[in-house]
Amino acid sequence: MTQPSTPPIAPSDSTSPSDTKIASGWMHTARFLTTAPQLEHLPALQVPEIAFVGRSNAGKSTCINTLTQQKRLAFASKTPGRTQSINLFALGKHNLTDAVLADLPGYGYAAVPKEAKLRWQRVMANYLRTRPNLMGVVMMCDPRLGLTELDEILLDVIRERVADGLKLLLLLTKADKLTRTEGQKVLSITQLQCGGGEAMLFSALKKQGVDEVSQRLWQWAHPPVPLGQDTSAPSTADEAPAPVAPPGHSA
């Protein structure tokens, strides 16, 4: 299968947003890039990649769509756990790509055959351990359940990379289901459990945490440029691949 070529890369912007407009505007540029049923089908990219992971029904697709201000960018299957591909979304103004979001399949849904579960556990583990340009992981958890055994397994998979600098953000989704006191309690507990990462409360319904998460992802993808480093050199990246929509998804 022919690999998609690397999309054009936008020059690095070291500006730290003083308000949410820059970060939220950047998130709104998200557009479908490609889908990969296997790791070998993922394009080799030079830009930072941020992976979204979480149990089925943890609100992962809703979170991505809320952050990008798009209703159906991330496709949610009518049967949770049935989506079995990694979907990539490009970010960047003027159709230049300065980062990519990776939507990984939800895990843990009982109706998925055991063989499929095991296969995708291996695929996700290999992706999280070996994807060269992966620089951050956003993990969705239902705060009413807390970190489950599968969540703990995933955290263990990336523990070594987090220790080496991989960014990690645990989002406690559906925070509107909790009282303020309950939310602060589970946030404190999760912060102690997230193994070097950061935890935040998030509610797509109430838009809680949306601005903060957008800014965090912007900062991950746009680290300050060291003094004296030349960022004016033109990019030599190839043309962006034509988006290929997965079944049931409009590119």
Side-chain angles (χ1 to χ4, degrees), residues 34-42 49 51-56 60 80-88 102-109 111-129 131 150 153-154 157 246-247:
T34 192
T35 188
Q38 298 288 348
L39 291 184
E40 57 266 28
H41 298 154
L42 285 172
E49 194 159 296
F52 281 71
V53 300
R55 286 179 57 90
S56 300
K60 180 166 54 67
R82 289 294 185 184
T83 304
Q84 297 286 283
S85 295
I86 298 174
N87 294 319
L88 298 185
D103 181 11
L104 273 63
Y107 52 86
Y109 194 70
V112 177
K114 182 178 180 180
E115 296 77 13
K117 287 184 185 179
L118 293 174
R119 180 176 71 85
W120 267 105
Q121 286 173 9
R122 290 192 293 268
V123 169
M124 290 173 64
N126 288 336
Y127 167 88
L128 293 168
R129 286 184 177 128
R131 182 69 168 162
L150 288 174
I153 291 172
L154 189 145
V157 165

Side-chain angles (χ1 to χ4, degrees), residues 165-177:
L166 180 74
K167 306 294 186 182
L168 172 62
L169 177 61
L170 269 72
L171 290 188
L172 298 168
T173 58
K174 308 178 184 180
D176 52 279
K177 305 291 186 182

Side-chain angles (χ1 to χ4, degrees), residues 13-24 211-212 214-216 218-219:
D13 185 344
S14 60
T15 303
S16 177
S18 58
D19 54 42
T20 62
K21 291 183 179 179
I22 295 176
S24 62
D211 291 340
E212 292 82 359
S214 296
Q215 283 193 301
R216 188 68 80 251
W218 164 272
Q219 292 162 358

Side-chain angles (χ1 to χ4, degrees), residues 59-76 89 249:
K60 180 166 54 67
S61 296
T62 300
C63 177
I64 293 173
N65 291 337
T66 300
L67 289 170
T68 59
Q69 306 165 59
Q70 300 182 46
K71 292 183 178 180
R72 288 183 58 82
L73 180 70
F75 177 71
F89 308 106
H249 189 295

